[in-house]
Amino acid sequence: MADEEFTQALDAVLHDLRAQCAVRPRLREDEEYGLVLHAPDGSGQGLVVPPPRLTPAERLADLAEQVQEWAVEALWAQGAPAVWPHCPDHPDGHPLEAGVVDGAAVWACPKSGAVFARVGGLKGDALGGRPRRRGARER
């Protein structure tokens, strides 16, 4: 994954994190571990550049999974429900899962397979916004 592609993929995933997660990472470059996401409690998780043999959508989904792991741990450390991003069909039951559908990296329900957003396209706010099923109308 080229630096520019990695930066764009990370920007997309961080958009989703800002849209629906109450915990914000501090990003730091580390000589030994590369780019590290740090939680408010000081813990950190390095990001692994997805392998080039994957498609761009698969690499984006892989990066989304890594950031999701960080978010779940950071939320748990703060005593918050360790679910991000929330599944609209099963609130606080499980998070959406990053995957690839029709050549695009998406957030989908792991039980039903329902797609709620492309990775980088979550809407909401960190204090209570939850994704809607793709095509659902706003109220």
Side-chain angles (χ1 to χ4, degrees), residues 19-42:
Q20 296 188 0
C21 188
V23 179
R24 300 288 188 267
R26 285 186 318 277
L27 295 157
R28 292 195 186 135
E29 281 284 337
D30 182 274
E31 286 185 26
E32 186 175 350
Y33 299 106
L35 188 61
V36 178
L37 300 171
H38 287 276
D41 70 358

Side-chain angles (χ1 to χ4, degrees), residues 35-136:
L35 188 61
V36 178
L37 300 171
H38 287 276
D41 70 358
S43 64
Q45 176 178 321
L47 296 175
V48 177
V49 176
R53 64 177 163 69
L54 301 177
T55 67
E58 290 169 332
R59 291 191 297 268
L60 178 54
D62 181 272
L63 188 58
E65 288 174 353
Q66 292 181 59
V67 173
Q68 182 180 40
E69 283 180 32
W70 173 88
V72 166
E73 292 294 325
L75 288 164
W76 181 84
Q78 289 198 336
V83 178
W84 178 81
H86 291 271
C87 177
D89 288 349
H90 308 99
D92 295 325
H94 60 254
L96 294 174
E97 187 173 82
V100 176
V101 174
D102 296 330
V106 299
W107 293 109
C109 173
K111 285 189 174 189
S112 70
V115 172
F116 290 93
R118 285 181 177 248
V119 172
L122 286 177
K123 294 183 179 8
D125 63 67
L127 301 177
R130 305 216 193 225
R132 292 186 318 272
R133 186 180 307 275
R134 284 184 79 188

